[in-house]
Amino acid sequence: MCLAIPGKIIELLDDNLAMIDVSGVRRKVNISLIKHENVQVDDWVLIHVGFAMNKISEEQAKEQLQLLAEIGEEQEALAEVKGYQFE
Amino acid sequence: MKMRFVDEFRNPELIRKTLDEIERIIEPDDHFRIMEACGGHTYSIFHFGLQELLPKNIEFIHGPGCPVCVLPPGRVDEGLEIASKNSDVIFTAFGDVMRVPGKKGSPLNYKAMGTDVRMIYSPLDALNIAIKNPDKKIILFAIGFETTAPSTAITVLKAKELDIDNFFVYSNHVKIVPVLKSILDQPNMRIDGFIGPGHASVVIGAHPYEIIAKEYKKPVVISGFEPLDLLQSILMLIKQLKNGESKVEIQYKRVVMEGGNVSALEIIDQVFEDRPAFEWRGLGAIQNSALKLKPEFAKWDAEVQFNVEKITIEENKDAQCGEVLKGMLKPNQCKLFGKVCTPDNPVGALMVSSEGACATYYNHLYSTMSL
Ligand code: SF4
């Protein structure tokens, strides 16, 4: 639960939610913690327990995804993202 | 022994340079004990075989950075007891909590015995279960360091906004700096510096560690999770140590801001307050080391709304989780390690989560021995 998962914002939604894409998996996450960062579609963010924690660069996002793959946690990370069931 | 070759890593050249620089600075008489405070770091150090790459006189001490590992036995039972005694209560928790052994079993065992236990991936999912089940009472067994606390706090604010009155937080949120201080206060403790957690620091930034650098004179370097991140952080720590310095530095600059995430800190402050004391596994009660809901959120506080029976568990007397958490014993030096206590049959929480020091040791010891 401690490693953060990188995702790309593909749509901004009401109620502090955004649709994100993590390696093809799309789910809603909450973006209230990074509102002050003026989040836009196409921004990359680090996600932890269904919340975007901060903005990161695309390069950093790719590195983080690769790290998850290298330590064998990629499937678990995707399972976690699939687990978010926000309405 | 499985040998790691530097060429297997990304940036092999930078890794080699960093290792060379560490070799160059360190002298034969040095012996540095470095604590990595985060379970994710422990995992990376083992996974990438970093100890084998580094000079022998750098020793890693595995710190208390896995939130389920530091929970005192009994805490999970307390939450579960509420659920098992009340048929209208649903107990929700993250996957890491599901297998933590308690007095009468883990959350999964309770589930098998008929208690409504559900695994969630986000605190918001627990709130949604509450919305969908208005005739039930949902307990969120909230856990985590500062990384997770703002998410729980937002969920509570959301419950307030939507006027949901069947959602309750059983807070076990803990704080990283007080526990590091308490470890430094232990008798006979020798730690020379800290690798600071990457993701809790996204929230708190660098300033809260100043007390460790200034008062305890121990350098802190906040690190990322890649092999290169960790090696650079070790180099930064060793440079400070050789220069007799103790500063807080951020290696993981691409993710961690000096001042942390201001919105997240404000939201934590809005919803939570410090507990005067909180019990930690193996470390005893530590002042102001954990968070509980503020009185104005009492309506959503499971500890206020339910009669929580305090459960203290007699631990297996050979279990040495406390010593391992304090860095006094390596996991494989615990009497139960690998014989009685295994990831399939964990006696202590350090064997449960993949980020627990004992599980990490076990998995890597056995994978390297079999080669
Ligand atoms: S091996 Fe088991 S009992 Fe021993 S310290 Fe680790 S988790 Fe605790």
Side-chain angles (χ1 to χ4, degrees):
Chain A
M1 67 172 272
C2 289
L3 277 182
I5 308 164
K8 185 176 180 171
I9 296 190
I10 53 170
E11 192 185 349
L12 293 169
L13 306 162
D14 291 346
D15 207 18
N16 287 321
L17 294 176
M19 185 66 78
I20 50 106
D21 180 301
V22 180
S23 302
V25 175
R26 293 187 171 190
R27 282 293 183 278
K28 289 176 189 169
V29 301
N30 186 296
I31 53 167
S32 16
L33 294 171
I34 53 166
K35 261 198 307 204
H36 61 282
E37 292 195 59
N38 181 28
V39 233
Q40 311 276 342
V41 168
D42 284 345
D43 279 347
W44 288 84
V45 292
L46 271 186
I47 306 157
H48 175 71
V49 300
F51 288 76
M53 300 302 297
N54 61 355
K55 280 210 293 198
I56 50 171
S57 68
E58 180 169 356
E59 191 192 0
Q60 159 67 8
K62 301 245 155 84
E63 273 180 24
Q64 179 79 9
L65 276 172
Q66 193 166 346
L67 173 70
L68 290 172
E70 279 172 17
I71 64 177
E73 297 267 312
E74 203 180 22
Q75 288 314 314
E76 206 173 303
L78 287 180
E80 176 167 340
V81 174
K82 283 182 191 148
Y84 305 149
Q85 306 290 345
F86 313 158
E87 303 299 305
Chain B
M1 203 64 150
K2 190 156 140 192
M3 201 48 215
R4 292 265 167 192
F5 293 102
V6 169
D7 291 340
E8 285 177 14
F9 294 121
R10 246 167 328 134
N11 296 320
E13 242 149 80
L14 279 176
I15 298 245
R16 212 181 296 272
K17 271 192 195 151
T18 314
L19 283 169
D20 286 348
E21 186 65 5
I22 292 172
E23 297 264 6
R24 195 182 65 78
I25 299 179
I26 208 153
E27 288 165 292
D29 287 349
D30 291 332
H31 185 172
F32 295 131
R33 288 166 56 95
I34 292 173
M35 176 173 271
E36 85 278 0
C38 161
H41 285 151
T42 307
Y43 190 89
S44 279
I45 286 166
F46 272 90
H47 187 84
F48 296 111
L50 300 187
Q51 182 78 73
E52 292 159 45
L53 293 175
L54 285 162
K56 293 279 164 290
N57 33 4
I58 296 173
E59 190 188 345
F60 290 112
I61 312 291
H62 314 300
C66 157
V68 300
C69 301
V70 297
L71 272 185
R75 204 68 197 165
V76 180
D77 297 77
E78 287 164 20
L80 283 165
E81 278 298 287
I82 305 172
S84 71
K85 288 206 182 108
N86 302 285
S87 61
D88 61 344
V89 171
I90 302 175
F91 177 94
T92 66
F94 293 131
D96 303 41
V97 176
M98 287 294 155
R99 290 173 54 240
V100 173
K103 192 173 193 169
K104 291 193 211 151
S106 66
L108 283 180
N109 296 139
Y110 271 81
K111 189 182 169 87
M113 292 183 297
T115 305
D116 197 341
V117 170
R118 301 192 194 174
M119 184 174 131
I120 47 154
Y121 291 95
S122 170
L124 281 176
D125 289 330
L127 183 63
N128 272 334
I129 296 175
I131 295 169
K132 286 191 192 139
N133 297 276
D135 52 332
K136 300 273 186 187
K137 295 175 180 152
I138 283 64
I139 293 186
L140 167 64
F141 189 83
I143 185 168
F145 281 88
E146 284 94 337
T147 331
T148 329
S151 306
T152 304
I154 289 178
T155 308
V156 172
L157 291 173
K158 186 98 197 153
K160 186 178 177 187
E161 181 195 320
L162 299 175
D163 204 14
I164 310 286
D165 52 15
N166 63 331
F167 171 76
F168 307 93
V169 174
Y170 191 53
S171 171
N172 295 282
H173 284 294
V174 283
K175 295 170 50 172
I176 187 72
V177 174
V179 70
L180 297 184
K181 279 167 56 190
S182 141
I183 285 180
L184 287 167
D185 286 333
Q186 304 280 330
N188 305 323
M189 178 54 57
R190 215 204 100 202
I191 291 170
D192 298 299
F194 291 94
I195 295 178
H199 293 136
S201 307
V202 167
V203 173
I204 65 173
H207 304 309
Y209 301 99
E210 289 293 338
I211 186 163
I212 291 173
K214 295 230 164 74
E215 282 182 27
Y216 292 87
K217 301 268 181 285
K218 307 291 179 195
V220 179
V221 177
I222 297 164
S223 177
F225 298 85
E226 296 274 354
L228 184 58
D229 288 326
L230 284 157
L231 293 175
Q232 281 178 347
S233 300
I234 288 158
L235 177 59
M236 290 161 82
L237 277 173
I238 289 172
K239 277 189 181 159
Q240 286 201 44
L241 288 165
K242 293 300 279 184
N243 291 335
E245 292 173 311
S246 54
K247 297 181 293 193
V248 182
E249 292 182 293
I250 305 174
Q251 179 277 334
Y252 203 26
K253 281 218 170 81
R254 56 198 196 274
V255 174
V256 175
M257 302 291 126
E258 187 84 23
N261 179 329
V262 180
S263 313
L265 288 171
E266 274 170 16
I267 286 166
I268 294 180
D269 255 5
Q270 195 182 336
V271 174
F272 288 112
E273 62 187 23
D274 280 1
R275 285 176 195 273
F278 189 72
E279 190 75 28
W280 292 64
R281 182 190 282 266
L283 297 167
I286 307 176
Q287 280 181 356
N288 299 324
S289 65
L291 300 169
K292 68 179 177 77
L293 295 189
K294 283 189 168 166
E296 65 228 67
F297 297 98
K299 198 174 156 189
W300 297 278
D301 187 343
E303 283 170 273
V304 176
Q305 300 302 334
F306 294 90
N307 185 11
V308 183
E309 227 176 282
K310 183 98 193 81
I311 299 175
T312 340
I313 295 180
E314 209 46 62
E315 277 191 89
N316 183 322
K317 61 177 176 0
D318 290 330
Q320 293 175 292
C321 311
E323 278 103 318
V324 172
L325 275 175
K326 283 184 268 190
M328 300 192 159
L329 280 186
K330 298 277 185 229
N332 56 344
Q333 292 169 327
C334 166
K335 291 184 197 138
L336 303 183
F337 180 88
K339 300 179 209 93
V340 180
C341 184
T342 62
D344 288 332
N345 184 21
V347 175
L350 284 68
M351 206 41 116
V352 174
S353 161
S354 61
E355 276 149 18
C358 293
T360 306
Y361 248 75
Y362 185 92
N363 292 329
H364 287 89
L365 222 76
Y366 284 80
S367 70
T368 46
M369 268 170 39
S370 61
L371 281 171

